[in-house]
Amino acid sequence: MDERLLALRPDETDATPIYLQVARRLGAAIQGGQWRVGDALPSERTLVESLGISRVTARRALQVLAEEGAITRSRGAGTFIAPRPEPRAARLDNFSELARRRGMTPASELVAFERRQATAPEAEALALRTGEEIVRLTRLRKADGQTFWMDVTTLALAVLPDASAIGESLYAYLERIGQPVLRVTEKLRAIVASEELATRLNIAPGEPLLHILRTGYTHGDKPVELTDAYCLNDFYELKQ
């Protein structure tokens, strides 16, 4: 058996879905150069026989990598390693990265958690039925103890039944449950702080803020999170 395939075998003691384990390990092998651009990947059948997984699991693992742009699939031709895309600009929503880049320690504080029925706009944004239950959580994002950012995030109740499960990173949580954010759309605009925002962010009312309206999409291009982020102007940056 190809030794590269042995490293892809899932860990039965790991609670992570098997298809995600295989996708992550195969993705890491691709990044590590074990398969090169243009190389053909093992077929679904080979993965099934070598790893002891189902055909559906193999297909889902390859679909994850295809959605991430790591591989290309062509009916009748096979699966191949895709050319690596040019580096993209860092997303403004990645608070933790911005904090660490400044040598600061990031942290999150959950200040509100609401469970209710979705409004029509919320249902539309998250591809839910009107009236389906959602949760809305407000988090203060801090660096070295100082608040620089506030996120107000809406998700389906089925995605987040318990706010304590998130930890520091919402995106890490979504990845753990098999609904990783694979792409985002963002709309940015300048606003001034209302009294409520000023109180939360410990600034004076009327001070300028950056408002980021973000929608995160998971497998099948399904919207999984809707976030209003409010950032102090002296903290955000955009780097290549």
Side-chain angles (χ1 to χ4, degrees):
M1 180 188 296
D2 189 331
E3 291 186 358
R4 295 176 296 181
L5 292 178
L6 292 176
L8 304 182
R9 285 183 171 174
D11 181 356
E12 294 182 356
T13 65
D14 190 337
T16 303
I18 292 177
Y19 80 94
L20 272 182
Q21 291 189 48
V22 174
R24 289 175 184 168
R25 294 180 185 195
L26 183 52
I30 293 171
Q31 289 293 324
Q34 295 180 39
W35 279 278
R36 300 179 182 278
V37 174
D39 284 354
L41 277 180
S43 65
E44 289 180 7
R45 180 177 179 179
T46 300
L47 291 176
V48 168
E49 295 175 349
S50 301
L51 307 182
I53 59 178
S54 70
R55 189 71 174 260
V56 172
T57 297
R59 185 174 296 123
R60 291 184 71 186
L62 293 176
Q63 182 62 30
V64 169
L65 294 174
E67 290 174 349
E68 293 175 349
I71 63 175
T72 59
R73 309 190 73 190
S74 176
R75 185 181 299 274
T79 303
F80 300 89
I81 306 302
R84 295 187 181 183
E86 293 297 319
R88 295 180 298 175
R91 289 205 316 266
L92 293 178
D93 67 300
N94 199 331
F95 175 85
S96 295
E97 270 191 17
L98 294 177
R100 292 190 180 101
R101 203 146 54 211
R102 288 172 163 77
M104 306 170 80
T105 301
S108 293
E109 177 187 351
L110 180 67
V111 295
F113 184 78
E114 177 187 8
R115 172 178 170 176
R116 58 173 170 77
Q117 292 185 330
T119 64
E122 289 168 341
E124 181 179 4
L126 292 172
L128 304 173
R129 297 184 304 273
T130 300
E132 192 169 339
E133 284 197 282
I134 53 95
V135 293
R136 188 172 173 86
L137 56 150
T138 301
R139 295 174 300 153
L140 297 180
R141 313 302 300 278
K142 301 181 179 183
D144 288 353
Q146 182 178 348
T147 302
F148 288 97
W149 197 295
M150 185 176 83
D151 281 341
V152 182
T153 302
T154 304
L155 309 102
L157 175 64
V159 172
L160 182 66
D162 180 6
S164 65
I166 294 177
E168 179 184 325
S169 171
L170 172 64
Y171 280 10
Y173 164 79
L174 291 173
E175 185 171 343
R176 288 198 303 274
I177 66 170
Q179 298 195 51
V181 173
L182 301 177
R183 76 174 183 93
V184 299
T185 59
E186 292 179 334
K187 296 180 181 179
L188 283 64
R189 66 189 179 102
I191 63 171
V192 295
S194 64
E195 289 191 8
E196 180 182 358
L197 282 172
T199 299
R200 293 285 196 192
L201 294 170
N202 196 29
I203 58 176
E207 284 199 24
L209 292 173
L210 175 69
H211 174 233
I212 306 168
L213 177 61
R214 179 179 68 249
T215 303
Y217 297 83
T218 188
H219 302 300
D221 217 30
K222 175 177 170 32
V224 68
E225 63 120 0
L226 179 66
T227 295
D228 286 281
Y230 303 91
C231 174
L232 271 62
N233 279 357
D234 61 354
F235 195 81
Y236 77 89
E237 63 185 40
L238 184 63
K239 287 188 175 182
Q240 296 290 338

